[in-house]
Amino acid sequence: MDDEKWKLAPTSLDNKVIDGVDNIIAIDETGTPTLINISDATPISKIWFGITGIIIDKTTINSIAKDMLNLKKKYWQNGNYNGQRVVFHSRNIRKKEGAFNPKLIDYSEFRSDLNKVISSLPIQVVGSLINKKDHVKKYLYPYPVYSLSLEFLIERASYRLNWLGESTVLLLESRGWREDCALLKQIISILENGSRYVSSNNFECIKGIYFAKKRTSNRLKSYWPLELSDMISYRIYRTKTEGKGIENFNSIEKYFINYPYYRNKGLKFFP
C-alpha cells in the first residue's frame, strides 16, 4: 500500500520514488483549457491548448541538474536572486522580468547560453496540441481539452516506454490543493480505466503521479524538470500555433518521440 500512497492525495516526489523507476516525465501546459466563448473571432493566441511531457532518464538527472545550476551560477551569485533560487520560467524570461532584467545580466548572452543547454539535453519529448475552435465545431459535446490532452500524452508516452520495457512517474506543477486533487483524480481515472482507445494495461508502466512547485518551500532549490517542461512547452506552442520562434523550436524538435516522423506520435494534433 505504501507504494500507492500517491493515489490518496497529492504527493511530493522523493529520491526513493525515483530509484524505483527508469524515468520521470515532467508535464506542463500552455494556453487555457476553457471552451467558453470560443468562436471565429477568437484570437489565435486563445484558440490552442497544449500539454508537453519531458521524458528524463533517471541516469541523466544529476548531469542535467548540474548543467542547469551551472548556468544559473554563471549569471547570479550561487544561482540565487533576491535570496531565492532563480527559476527559468518562460514568461519571466520573455518579459525580461525580475532576475532576467537586462540591467542585471547580459540578457543576450544568457539567452544564447540557455539555448545551448536546452539543445544539448539527453531527453525525449511528447506532447499534444488541441485547436479548441475546431474541437467545438466538430463535436456537439466537446470533451474537456485538459483531460483530452492528458490522454493523448499518456498514451504516446506509454507506447514508447512499453516498447522499451521501462517505467516512469509523472511530475506536475502544483497549482493548489483543490486543483491538484482534481487533476490527480483525472489521471488516476485514465490509468485505471484506460482511455477511449487504449486499455489500462498499457498504462502499467506509469508507477505514480507527483506534484511540486517550481521552487522548493525554502526557496533555495528548484524543480528543474518543471522548468524544462515550461520552456519547451512554450517553444512548441509558439511555433506550431503561431508560426513564430522557429529557430528556438528547431533546437528541440529532435527530442520528439519518433523523430523525424513525430507528427501524431511524438506530437499529437487534434482534431
Side-chain angles (χ1 to χ4, degrees), residues 144-196:
V145 295
Y146 199 109
S147 297
L148 191 58
S149 295
L150 277 172
E151 281 191 20
F152 292 149
L153 187 150
I154 291 171
E155 286 173 353
R156 281 149 185 78
S158 296
Y159 291 150
R160 176 66 175 173
L161 294 173
N162 286 330
W163 181 72
L164 293 172
E166 296 181 352
S167 60
T168 193
V169 291
L170 308 182
L171 176 63
L172 299 104
E173 183 175 3
S174 175
R175 306 292 184 181
W177 182 258
R178 183 178 299 178
E179 294 88 345
D180 293 352
C181 286
L183 184 53
L184 177 64
K185 185 177 180 180
Q186 284 184 46
I187 302 177
I188 288 176
S189 177
I190 296 172
L191 300 186
E192 293 185 344
N193 301 311
S195 63
R196 289 169 299 166

Side-chain angles (χ1 to χ4, degrees), residues 93-106:
I93 294 172
R94 298 194 313 273
K95 299 291 184 180
K96 304 178 182 180
E97 297 174 338
F100 309 101
N101 188 322
K103 294 180 180 180
L104 301 175
I105 62 171
D106 185 327

Side-chain angles (χ1 to χ4, degrees), residues 240-258:
K240 289 301 183 180
T241 66
E242 300 177 11
K244 300 176 181 178
I246 295 175
E247 183 177 347
N248 284 337
F249 174 82
N250 288 344
S251 69
I252 57 96
E253 186 179 24
K254 61 191 175 186
Y255 295 140
F256 282 114
I257 289 174
N258 213 57

